Amino acid sequence: MEKRVLLIEDEPNIIQAISFILSRDGWAVDTHADGKTAMDEIARRAPDLVILDVMLPNRSGFDILADLRAAPETAGLPVLMLTARGRAKDREQAERMGASRFMTKPFSNAEVLEAVRDLVLQ
């Protein structure tokens, strides 16, 4: 069965890059760009992993992560947080809130693939 990733990101070049990297490796990749409706999209898509940008329009990735961890049906869903801000404070907040992994932009293709494989295929 094909593994599904939901990429919640609003930068078109990041969406294109990650979608290409993962689909070339055999992953089914869905994308979504709005923080306000992200939880509805997660429920609708039922992904095996969410790649979640911290800075999204209408709602932050941290707010979405808090909702994911609070809901029993998504509490254990692997979440890879992405951010352009590589501050230690952001990393600590993501870890404290239950992010499975935290990655700063720019990232390498190998880094993304390794993280996704580690989080889903463990």
Side-chain angles (χ1 to χ4, degrees), residues 17-85:
I18 291 177
S19 295
F20 177 76
I21 293 162
L22 294 180
S23 51
R24 186 178 65 189
D25 195 53
W27 298 85
V29 181
D30 297 308
T31 63
H32 191 72
D34 183 34
K36 184 176 181 179
T37 54
M39 288 300 293
D40 293 335
E41 193 68 9
I42 292 165
R44 189 169 78 78
R45 299 279 184 182
D48 297 295
L49 168 77
V50 171
I51 300 176
L52 181 60
D53 188 19
V54 170
M55 294 181 287
L56 291 164
N58 302 313
R59 195 152 188 251
S60 89
F62 287 128
D63 292 338
I64 296 163
L65 179 60
D67 286 353
L68 287 171
R69 294 303 178 238
E73 60 275 7
T74 57
L77 179 66
V79 176
L80 170 60
M81 297 287 294
L82 291 179
T83 186
R85 302 181 314 186

